[in-house]
Amino acid sequence: MTRVHTGNAHRQIVDGQRVRGIGHLRHPVVFGGLIGVVGGAAFLLAGLAGLPAGWQEPLRGLAVVLVGFTLVGVLFRRRILPALPPPTPGALRVYGVAVVVMLLLFPVTHLLARAADAPTAQIALVAAVVGGHFLPFARAFGAPVFRWIGGSMLALGLSGALVAMLGVPAAGPAGAAAAGAAMLLVVVGQALRQGAPGPGDRLRA
């Protein structure tokens, strides 16, 4: 077990042995995974709520299963959690700028949807903006998982918004729901990959 000290506080990070995330909630991979579960579930369920009534009930059941499966994977899958150094000042600056830009773009999504006379496109545009803000994190934090999350959410959100603007209102919420599902799948995929046997039984997050 490796202890990484930060000022007067320290966090215990397990390296080289399989552990369950529920016992290491402060580890960045586990904590980030939980944020992914919350964010993915929010977009998935909010998007489904905007679909025609006949589609909502069966898809909501599948959504609950996916959210539950992802949460179980993050908390209970035995996997290797690598020791990670504290983020650099440069990485923290990238994080701060990305979050500020994301917040500034939220009102723009409303303006774009209104200008296109496609109000249902906004939720998909919001999903795309959230996805886009993850992309710089891949390089800043050395975590390729952000590229998968950000890229999939950006592509699915923009696709849903575009189709909604072309006259298919349900495409907006469908795009947001798909973006949320993609986030959940990437998060649980990371947990499963980290738990799979590998050379030397060591996997990188």
Side-chain angles (χ1 to χ4, degrees):
M1 180 175 291
T2 302
R3 289 188 177 185
V4 178
H5 293 265
T6 305
N8 295 325
H10 73 269
R11 52 181 178 165
Q12 292 183 338
I13 298 179
V14 175
D15 187 26
Q17 60 178 306
R18 297 181 187 280
V19 296
R20 299 185 191 276
I22 194 168
H24 303 274
L25 297 178
R26 295 175 62 187
H27 190 284
V29 173
V30 179
F31 184 71
L34 291 175
I35 293 176
V37 172
V38 173
F43 277 113
L44 177 54
L45 296 176
L48 293 181
L51 295 179
W55 288 86
Q56 290 185 25
E57 187 171 347
L59 290 178
R60 191 177 291 118
L62 292 175
V64 170
V65 171
L66 177 57
V67 172
F69 179 64
T70 305
L71 185 61
V72 169
V74 170
L75 293 179
F76 298 104
R77 169 71 164 171
R78 285 193 176 276
R79 50 180 167 153
I80 294 174
L81 297 176
L84 300 175
T88 65
L92 293 177
R93 282 193 296 271
V94 170
Y95 173 82
V97 170
V99 170
V100 170
V101 171
M102 176 186 69
L103 295 175
L104 291 175
L105 286 177
F106 282 160
V108 177
T109 64
H110 174 70
L111 296 176
L112 288 175
R114 187 172 65 178
D117 194 24
T120 62
Q122 184 181 3
I123 189 172
L125 289 172
V126 170
V129 168
V130 172
H133 107 284
F134 284 123
L135 292 176
F137 299 168
R139 182 173 182 179
F141 296 101
V145 66
F146 286 117
R147 189 174 298 115
W148 287 99
I149 292 175
S152 60
M153 291 187 70
L154 180 63
L156 291 168
L158 287 178
S159 297
L162 178 60
V163 176
M165 291 176 180
L166 292 176
V168 185
M183 176 183 278
L184 292 168
L185 289 171
V186 173
V187 169
V188 74
Q190 181 192 42
L192 295 176
R193 179 178 62 84
Q194 289 173 327
D201 202 30
R202 295 176 63 85
L203 298 174
R204 183 181 177 185

